[in-house]
PDB file of all heavy atoms in Angstrom:
ATOM      1  N   GLN A 292      20.761 189.050 182.006  1.00  0.00           N
ATOM      2  CA  GLN A 292      21.391 188.457 182.995  1.00  0.00           C
ATOM      3  C   GLN A 292      22.811 188.990 183.185  1.00  0.00           C
ATOM      4  O   GLN A 292      23.530 189.458 182.277  1.00  0.00           O
ATOM      5  CB  GLN A 292      21.584 186.914 182.685  1.00  0.00           C
ATOM      6  CG  GLN A 292      20.335 186.102 182.418  1.00  0.00           C
ATOM      7  CD  GLN A 292      19.494 185.950 183.786  1.00  0.00           C
ATOM      8  OE1 GLN A 292      20.121 185.812 184.904  1.00  0.00           O
ATOM      9  NE2 GLN A 292      18.144 186.050 183.837  1.00  0.00           N
ATOM     10  N   ASP A 293      23.341 188.921 184.460  1.00  0.00           N
ATOM     11  CA  ASP A 293      24.711 189.130 184.785  1.00  0.00           C
ATOM     12  C   ASP A 293      25.427 188.108 184.137  1.00  0.00           C
ATOM     13  O   ASP A 293      25.275 186.980 184.328  1.00  0.00           O
ATOM     14  CB  ASP A 293      25.028 189.171 186.153  1.00  0.00           C
ATOM     15  CG  ASP A 293      24.107 190.100 187.089  1.00  0.00           C
ATOM     16  OD1 ASP A 293      23.648 190.938 186.486  1.00  0.00           O
ATOM     17  OD2 ASP A 293      23.908 189.910 188.243  1.00  0.00           O
ATOM     18  N   ALA A 294      26.428 188.404 183.271  1.00  0.00           N
ATOM     19  CA  ALA A 294      27.309 187.385 182.457  1.00  0.00           C
ATOM     20  C   ALA A 294      28.664 187.208 183.017  1.00  0.00           C
ATOM     21  O   ALA A 294      29.466 186.290 182.566  1.00  0.00           O
ATOM     22  CB  ALA A 294      27.251 187.762 181.031  1.00  0.00           C
ATOM     23  N   CYS A 295      29.031 188.107 183.853  1.00  0.00           N
ATOM     24  CA  CYS A 295      30.409 188.127 184.529  1.00  0.00           C
ATOM     25  C   CYS A 295      30.573 187.654 185.915  1.00  0.00           C
ATOM     26  O   CYS A 295      31.324 188.061 186.739  1.00  0.00           O
ATOM     27  CB  CYS A 295      31.094 189.452 184.305  1.00  0.00           C
ATOM     28  SG  CYS A 295      31.153 190.099 182.638  1.00  0.00           S
ATOM     29  N   THR A 296      29.605 186.745 186.275  1.00  0.00           N
ATOM     30  CA  THR A 296      29.464 186.172 187.694  1.00  0.00           C
ATOM     31  C   THR A 296      30.845 185.446 187.953  1.00  0.00           C
ATOM     32  O   THR A 296      31.092 185.391 189.194  1.00  0.00           O
ATOM     33  CB  THR A 296      28.339 185.456 187.974  1.00  0.00           C
ATOM     34  OG1 THR A 296      28.105 184.468 186.813  1.00  0.00           O
ATOM     35  CG2 THR A 296      27.075 186.225 188.075  1.00  0.00           C
ATOM     36  N   PHE A 297      31.425 184.785 187.033  1.00  0.00           N
ATOM     37  CA  PHE A 297      32.715 184.027 187.352  1.00  0.00           C
ATOM     38  C   PHE A 297      33.753 185.106 187.893  1.00  0.00           C
ATOM     39  O   PHE A 297      34.428 184.820 188.843  1.00  0.00           O
ATOM     40  CB  PHE A 297      33.121 183.319 186.175  1.00  0.00           C
ATOM     41  CG  PHE A 297      34.502 182.518 186.384  1.00  0.00           C
ATOM     42  CD1 PHE A 297      34.388 181.219 186.810  1.00  0.00           C
ATOM     43  CD2 PHE A 297      35.784 183.164 186.206  1.00  0.00           C
ATOM     44  CE1 PHE A 297      35.609 180.547 187.045  1.00  0.00           C
ATOM     45  CE2 PHE A 297      36.870 182.422 186.483  1.00  0.00           C
ATOM     46  CZ  PHE A 297      36.888 181.174 186.904  1.00  0.00           C
ATOM     47  N   MET A 298      33.790 186.240 187.135  1.00  0.00           N
ATOM     48  CA  MET A 298      34.785 187.264 187.518  1.00  0.00           C
ATOM     49  C   MET A 298      34.374 187.758 189.004  1.00  0.00           C
ATOM     50  O   MET A 298      35.293 188.055 189.746  1.00  0.00           O
ATOM     51  CB  MET A 298      34.922 188.391 186.549  1.00  0.00           C
ATOM     52  CG  MET A 298      35.899 189.485 186.842  1.00  0.00           C
ATOM     53  SD  MET A 298      36.080 190.620 185.443  1.00  0.00           S
ATOM     54  CE  MET A 298      36.930 192.014 186.276  1.00  0.00           C
ATOM     55  N   ALA A 299      33.013 187.975 189.230  1.00  0.00           N
ATOM     56  CA  ALA A 299      32.724 188.487 190.568  1.00  0.00           C
ATOM     57  C   ALA A 299      33.208 187.596 191.527  1.00  0.00           C
ATOM     58  O   ALA A 299      33.762 188.031 192.678  1.00  0.00           O
ATOM     59  CB  ALA A 299      31.176 188.614 190.609  1.00  0.00           C
ATOM     60  N   GLY A 300      33.005 186.166 191.367  1.00  0.00           N
ATOM     61  CA  GLY A 300      33.436 185.293 192.339  1.00  0.00           C
ATOM     62  C   GLY A 300      34.923 185.261 192.456  1.00  0.00           C
ATOM     63  O   GLY A 300      35.550 185.029 193.548  1.00  0.00           O
ATOM     64  N   GLU A 301      35.666 185.378 191.267  1.00  0.00           N
ATOM     65  CA  GLU A 301      37.140 185.351 191.388  1.00  0.00           C
ATOM     66  C   GLU A 301      37.685 186.617 192.216  1.00  0.00           C
ATOM     67  O   GLU A 301      38.594 186.483 193.006  1.00  0.00           O
ATOM     68  CB  GLU A 301      37.690 185.467 189.969  1.00  0.00           C
ATOM     69  CG  GLU A 301      39.174 185.296 189.764  1.00  0.00           C
ATOM     70  CD  GLU A 301      39.638 185.171 188.416  1.00  0.00           C
ATOM     71  OE1 GLU A 301      39.175 185.934 187.486  1.00  0.00           O
ATOM     72  OE2 GLU A 301      40.553 184.403 188.174  1.00  0.00           O
ATOM     73  N   ILE A 302      37.051 187.746 192.015  1.00  0.00           N
ATOM     74  CA  ILE A 302      37.483 188.929 192.884  1.00  0.00           C
ATOM     75  C   ILE A 302      37.258 188.666 194.360  1.00  0.00           C
ATOM     76  O   ILE A 302      38.020 189.072 195.205  1.00  0.00           O
ATOM     77  CB  ILE A 302      36.833 190.224 192.319  1.00  0.00           C
ATOM     78  CG1 ILE A 302      37.055 190.517 190.944  1.00  0.00           C
ATOM     79  CG2 ILE A 302      37.056 191.426 193.284  1.00  0.00           C
ATOM     80  CD1 ILE A 302      36.382 191.779 190.387  1.00  0.00           C
ATOM     81  N   ALA A 303      36.071 188.114 194.628  1.00  0.00           N
ATOM     82  CA  ALA A 303      35.726 187.667 196.000  1.00  0.00           C
ATOM     83  C   ALA A 303      36.731 186.764 196.575  1.00  0.00           C
ATOM     84  O   ALA A 303      37.239 186.903 197.730  1.00  0.00           O
ATOM     85  CB  ALA A 303      34.326 187.055 196.060  1.00  0.00           C
ATOM     86  N   GLY A 304      37.270 185.822 195.850  1.00  0.00           N
ATOM     87  CA  GLY A 304      38.198 184.812 196.290  1.00  0.00           C
ATOM     88  C   GLY A 304      39.490 185.581 196.376  1.00  0.00           C
ATOM     89  O   GLY A 304      40.227 185.247 197.473  1.00  0.00           O
TER      90      GLY A 304
END
Side-chain angles (χ1 to χ4, degrees):
Q292 299 287 324
D293 305 339
C295 302
T296 46
F297 183 91
M298 181 172 166
E301 189 172 39
I302 295 173

